[in-house]
């Protein structure tokens, strides 16, 4: 979906940059880029919500397997793995990926809205 948003944004902004005779059409295209960016942010947030649904489900299965087969030490091994990962990637592990995706799409929305305002004001 991000590829669709980025291609739409590049195409729309290219149109605005090259179009010089119709301010209204350029503002409309820039506004459409803004809406496309908002849609991308919403889709990214929705993908994260679905990801969390499946993650929580996997955690329930993991807990149940740990109850049934304690000798496997599933929770202990997972905890050790997570701890090692956080030590190796102190800064990066604290940044949430879905925040980056939503921010990127909101940046596109901001670009479209700002360009629309500038086109109409000039």
């Amino acid at each position: 979906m991000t590829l669709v948003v980025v291609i739409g944004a590049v195409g729309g902004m290219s149109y605005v940059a090259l179009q010089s005779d119709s301010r209204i059409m350029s503002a409309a295209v820039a506004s459409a880029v803004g809406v496309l960016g908002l849609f991308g942010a919403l889709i990214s947030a929705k993908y994260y919500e679905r990801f969390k649904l499946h993650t929580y489900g996997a955690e329930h299965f993991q807990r149940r397997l740990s109850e049934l087969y304690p000798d496997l030490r599933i929770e202990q091994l997972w905890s050790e793995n997570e701890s090692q990962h956080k030590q190796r990637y102190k800064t990066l592990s604290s940044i949430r990926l879905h925040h980056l995706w939503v921010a990127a799409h909101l940046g596109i929305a901001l670009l479209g809205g700002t360009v629309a305002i500038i086109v109409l004001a000039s």
Side-chain angles (χ1 to χ4, degrees):
M1 190 66 223
T2 298
L3 182 60
V4 171
V5 172
V6 169
I7 289 172
V10 168
M13 290 296 103
S14 298
Y15 175 85
V16 171
L18 298 173
Q19 181 72 10
S20 60
D21 59 342
S22 175
R23 284 184 17 215
I24 299 299
M25 184 58 107
S26 292
V29 170
S31 296
V33 167
V35 170
L36 187 60
L38 290 174
F39 181 71
L42 178 63
I43 290 292
S44 292
K46 181 63 182 174
Y47 277 137
Y48 179 71
E49 176 263 331
R50 299 307 293 175
F51 164 77
K52 292 306 284 184
L53 169 70
H54 295 287
T55 300
Y56 294 144
E59 288 172 358
H60 288 292
F61 285 116
Q62 177 183 324
R63 276 195 297 278
R64 183 67 178 134
L65 284 171
S66 290
E67 290 170 5
L68 293 173
Y69 305 102
D71 292 342
L72 291 177
R73 303 177 343 196
I74 294 171
E75 290 184 23
Q76 177 189 350
L77 293 172
W78 180 255
S79 179
E80 290 170 5
N81 176 60
E82 193 173 33
S83 173
Q84 288 173 358
H85 177 80
K86 286 181 179 180
Q87 285 178 340
R88 286 186 188 126
Y89 301 98
K90 289 179 175 92
T91 303
L92 287 176
S93 66
S94 66
I95 298 171
R96 298 289 162 242
L97 183 59
H98 73 281
H99 291 162
L100 297 176
W101 285 113
V102 170
H105 287 98
L106 290 177
I108 291 171
L110 182 63
L111 172 69
T114 302
V115 169
I117 290 168
I118 290 170
V119 166
L120 288 175
S122 61

